[in-house]
Amino acid sequence: MKLVVEVVDAHDLMPKDGEGSASPFVEVDFVNQLSRTKTVPKNLNPIWNQKLVFDIHQTENFHHKTIEVSVYNERRVPIPGRHFLGSVRIPCSNTVKKGKEAYQRFQLEKKWFFSSVKGEIGLKIYISLESEHKTPLPQTLEAPPSKSHQLPEIHKVLSHSKLCSAVPKAVATVSLIGTSSAPDPKKETKEAVTFHHLQKYQVQKAAGITMQPVRPQAPHSYEEDYDLKDTNPQLGERWPNGGAYGGGGWMSGGERFASTYDLVEQMFYLYVRVVKAKDLPPSSITASCDPYVEVKLGNYKGRTRHFERKINPEWNQVFAFSKDRIQSSVLEVFVKDKEMIGRDDYLGRVVFDLNEIPTRVPPDSPLAPQWYRLEHRRGEGKVRGDVMVAVWMGTQADEAFPDAWHSDAATVYGEGVHNIRSKVYVSPKLWYLRVNVIEAQDVLPNNRSHLPEVFVKAQVGNQVLRTKICPTNTANPLWNEDLVFVAAEPFEEQLTVTVEDRVHPSKDEVLGKMIMPIDMFEKRLDHRPVHSRWFNLEKYGFGVLEADRRKELKFSSRIHLRVCLEGGYHVLDESTMYISDQRPTARQLWKQPVGILEVGILSAQGLLPMKMKDGRGSTDAYCVAKYGQKWVRTRTILDTLSPKWNEQYTWEVYDPCTVITLGVFDNCHLGGAEKPTPMAASAARDSRIGKVRIRLSTLEAHRMYTHSYPLLVLQPNGVKKMGELQLAVRFTTLSLANMIYVYGHPLLPKMHYLHPFTVNQVDNLRYQAMNIVAARLGRAEPPLRKEVVEYMLDVDSHMWSMRRSKANFFRIMSLLSSMFCMSRWFGDVCNWKNSMTTVLVHILFLILIWYPELILPTLFVYMFLIGMWNYRFRPRHPPHMDIKLSWAEAVHPDELDEEFDTFPSSRPHDIVRMRYDRIRSVAGRIQTVVGDIATQGERFQSLLSWRDPRATSLFIMFSLCAAVVLYATPFRVVALIAGLYYLRHPRFRSKLPSAPSNFFRRLSAQADSLL
């Protein structure tokens, strides 16, 4: 595997040769491997287009390394040497595979404080899995650089590295996470093992976090309790009784602890892996057999699929039996021959004593299966045939757990088996496709008697956008408009551009058409311009006399476009209020992660029945968590109102000001006694039970949060508690310096600020991105269905709601309440309600007047003291759904019915008219408030506008006198007089409005000019 650094060019370098120019070359250092480019003489904007190739060793972390690129000026006379022109350090974590690389410019940085550096360097960096020609070869370093003109020899050291992919691998891997640039042996991170196809990073826990024994839980209360509850579950891997089953012997030794699954309660399972069989006896009738295996443990039976006419079948299927439901001391494995008519024949069996079954604890290697000779079903000796089986005891941390057949899901069959398994999903990589329609030439209308009214329509998949009609009726129209689409890798759709003529308000004619694959366009990482291109338009003839020429292409015109894939934006597929990822699309622009988020999805309590099964209420619940590009789905626990999942997942955190969303759903795709029709299966929708959001910035680092979150759902009849979701959450920061760095930088990538989208564009693009994510995740196996994705991404957050409007209004009022309280307090001070307080305010005022340099320090010290005082009252748990803040308790039923109405409305006309009148009344009050604000602003404008000549004359004369007085009087005296006048005793006040207030209210506004 090779690292390729393609040095393309540089711009605006610092002249260093004394003649206003430079002879630059580039030197690249990667883990003590040094290579350089050729020298470009006398050029401050050199172009190299040269590839430098380095070796990558696959046995050591690669993404923690850096690439140092330095630019030098080669000096030949009078003394050979070189001058430093700038350098840049690039982390290897941003490196992509060959074929996904993109040209990127880096600002050259100083090496030391007094360096004179300017300019940029353009690079392409990628990893190639095939050997490439090295130009030039890395050299060997034996001594420090000398003053001779010869290049230093570089000692070649192979760096141990491994390639980081953009998405999690579906294999079990072992990973190490570094803490910071200055490693501390006491804070080293530990190795951890990945389970459930996830990377699992285990960081040393902070001091003070201890495991507590389980407290007896109070019985569930069915009162509506919407508060967050503290829990104290038994977390971490513990092997009781020395790991022995029933005191016998799973494993020997004391109580065993493991730390790789420390945020969930351990659940023990008996695993049976049926690999294959050989030399099975054929049937006397068919001279062959149709074998399958039945695994029996007490009343639980699991079956493999059967093979037709095969005496050496291979199944490689795993069965998992919960330890809590084991009803027998022996495990029986039967091999049977499936018969078309009558009972299936027994070919033999193998019996295992549960007291002799070993225990496997990851990260131990998988237990090797063994061949067992089949016995007669009545114990009458051995029979013909062997079966390969592995039996062990483990936990949900075992790699076989996600794909195993579970004893508690024995009633599920067919497609339902895939729909109950836990899986990890990755959102597709989304790009913004920007199509800049510039102009067209030689656009000929079908009817030559009129000039064309031309516009351009572009389509990508289901997204259709069009430009405005060219204002001039000409054959060479000009638009210069941007059309922005959302595209997902791999690019399956094509860009279709048509030039159309508006011949009638209800009829458009196609004048030309072109189709292009999306992957042919350049990927742009910054705001540099992209080269435009001319494209020929294809025109088809469909006349009566041209039936045989329909497939002929006629190039009648061409169109000028500038098309690129924007990699510097973050494609928004969720609301910015609950955003979970802010990284740009291009991996080259990603920063280092600042922390690790670990979530243990423990259980749910008190769920409400979501459907009827056998005449009683039932719920088949599963949980979905979404953070960044990674979605996780737990397994479905069948027919219980208190499911226990105990599954742990891990995410890398790139920004702490993000939100993780967890939702609980009822699985409606399990199959039943009758096989559902395709139409019924497509009509079934997984019901939403509730949702929880946790903002990472509200979590203390290295602390484990174990809480039970209420699952609240707003229904047409009001808010309803559907149950509680018990979670264990831990956010671990890797570097305090990185955290401070993140808080000082913009929330979104810089392209959102350099070339921002309009509000309408953001809403439309987010809707398209959400549809693409839902469609791609719905094609997975098992699918993450559209209703689940829409609920997790808050697809209806932009819809009108009177309840939300009231909630937002009272949020604003709560913010202004502190200002109102401060105003009332100051009014009490001015009115001498408390003489002692007023005297102290006077003393403070006089001190600040005498020492004005103390004003700002006093203000900041006051804020510091308030913050320290409020530290005692800081939140002890993460925020959760608040029904009072959401205005869900006192909402009117008609307002809820309006919120759940479709768009467009499906309610009767009289109800729609009543709601319309209500919105008109609310809008009328808002209109009055806005008019009052406008009136006050226009009164300020009329002070100098001579709209009222007498008022303006008085004001300008007052301004002249005030200027003379303020010029002659020291500012401290003016401030002292003004403050003492404002704080004067009520005995010297009048109940009538002041003269400035009366003068201001008499000023005219433009309200009298409104119709």
Side-chain angles (χ1 to χ4, degrees), residues 801-845:
S801 168
M802 181 68 75
R803 176 189 59 84
R804 287 192 190 134
S805 301
K806 290 181 179 179
N808 291 330
F809 172 77
F810 284 104
R811 286 172 61 197
I812 295 176
M813 295 305 297
S814 65
L815 292 177
L816 299 178
S817 62
S818 59
M819 299 176 59
F820 296 152
C821 291
M822 183 64 68
S823 176
R824 286 195 297 268
W825 173 84
F826 192 70
D828 293 342
V829 170
C830 295
N831 293 320
W832 291 72
K833 292 292 182 66
N834 188 330
S835 301
M836 183 61 68
T837 303
T838 304
V839 170
L840 292 177
V841 170
H842 277 77
I843 294 174
L844 178 62
F845 173 70

Side-chain angles (χ1 to χ4, degrees), residues 434 436 438 520-533 560-567 751:
R434 186 187 297 270
N436 178 222
I438 304 174
M520 69 174 288
F521 302 121
E522 181 181 355
K523 297 177 180 178
R524 185 171 71 166
L525 305 185
D526 49 21
H527 58 282
R528 62 184 178 85
V530 179
H531 297 294
S532 60
R533 295 174 56 187
H560 194 193
L561 301 177
R562 181 181 288 111
V563 188
C564 68
L565 290 164
E566 297 282 7
M751 287 295 292

Side-chain angles (χ1 to χ4, degrees), residues 652-947:
E652 288 182 335
V653 178
Y654 292 85
D655 195 313
C657 301
T658 47
V659 177
I660 181 174
T661 305
L662 301 99
V664 182
F665 302 87
D666 177 52
N667 199 333
C668 297
H669 299 83
L670 303 177
E674 297 180 0
K675 189 173 181 180
T677 62
M679 183 175 297
S682 61
R685 295 170 59 89
D686 290 350
S687 303
R688 57 182 71 171
I689 298 178
K691 182 165 55 179
V692 173
R693 298 191 193 100
I694 302 175
R695 184 170 291 274
L696 271 59
S697 59
T698 62
L699 304 178
E700 297 179 12
H702 307 283
R703 176 185 169 187
M704 184 185 300
Y705 292 84
T706 55
H707 293 96
S708 184
Y709 296 80
L711 296 173
L712 306 178
V713 172
L714 192 65
Q715 297 179 347
N717 56 356
V719 65
K720 192 167 187 64
K721 181 179 178 180
M722 308 296 291
E724 296 179 353
L725 178 63
Q726 187 174 350
L727 301 174
V729 182
R730 181 171 59 214
F731 174 47
T732 305
T733 57
L734 301 179
S735 172
L736 180 60
N738 285 344
M739 193 67 65
I740 298 174
Y741 173 84
V742 167
Y743 269 90
H745 279 70
L747 193 66
L748 294 171
K750 65 179 182 179
M751 287 295 292
H752 288 268
Y753 307 98
L754 297 178
H755 296 283
F757 295 119
T758 64
V759 176
N760 289 335
Q761 277 183 315
V762 170
D763 291 340
N764 294 332
L765 292 174
R766 178 187 168 232
Y767 180 75
Q768 299 299 338
M770 188 214 64
N771 285 337
I772 293 175
V773 171
R776 292 292 180 92
L777 295 181
R779 289 159 47 181
E781 185 64 37
L784 200 60
R785 303 189 182 277
K786 183 178 181 180
E787 61 270 18
V788 175
V789 176
E790 289 181 348
Y791 183 57
M792 297 290 289
L793 296 179
D794 290 290
V795 64
D796 56 351
S797 61
H798 65 285
M799 299 297 292
W800 160 259
S801 168
M802 181 68 75
R803 176 189 59 84
R804 287 192 190 134
S805 301
K806 290 181 179 179
N808 291 330
F809 172 77
F810 284 104
R811 286 172 61 197
I812 295 176
M813 295 305 297
S814 65
L815 292 177
L816 299 178
S817 62
S818 59
M819 299 176 59
F820 296 152
C821 291
M822 183 64 68
S823 176
R824 286 195 297 268
W825 173 84
F826 192 70
D828 293 342
V829 170
C830 295
N831 293 320
W832 291 72
K833 292 292 182 66
N834 188 330
S835 301
M836 183 61 68
T837 303
T838 304
V839 170
L840 292 177
V841 170
H842 277 77
I843 294 174
L844 178 62
F845 173 70
L846 293 176
I847 293 174
L848 294 179
I849 289 296
W850 192 256
Y851 301 101
E853 64 273 9
L854 295 180
I855 295 178
L856 290 180
T858 302
L859 177 63
F860 284 104
V861 168
Y862 181 65
M863 290 191 292
F864 169 78
L865 293 177
I866 291 178
M868 295 302 297
W869 177 263
N870 291 336
Y871 179 76
R872 300 186 305 162
F873 313 105
R874 68 190 185 278
R876 302 293 181 175
H877 53 75
H880 62 288
M881 301 290 185
D882 191 341
I883 60 171
K884 294 182 179 179
L885 181 65
S886 305
W887 205 254
E889 280 186 323
V891 61
H892 194 274
D894 184 69
E895 295 177 0
L896 278 178
D897 183 69
E898 180 184 16
E899 186 171 344
F900 283 90
D901 191 8
T902 58
F903 187 85
S905 177
S906 59
R907 298 297 187 264
H909 295 293
D910 53 346
I911 295 179
V912 174
R913 177 172 295 180
M914 182 268 295
R915 292 173 179 171
Y916 174 68
D917 293 338
R918 181 175 60 196
I919 293 179
R920 289 178 63 190
S921 64
V922 173
R925 290 193 290 269
I926 296 175
Q927 171 184 292
T928 302
V929 173
V930 173
D932 292 341
I933 295 174
T935 298
Q936 306 304 322
E938 290 169 354
R939 283 174 176 172
F940 274 106
Q941 289 182 343
S942 65
L943 286 172
L944 299 173
S945 64
W946 295 92
R947 183 180 177 89

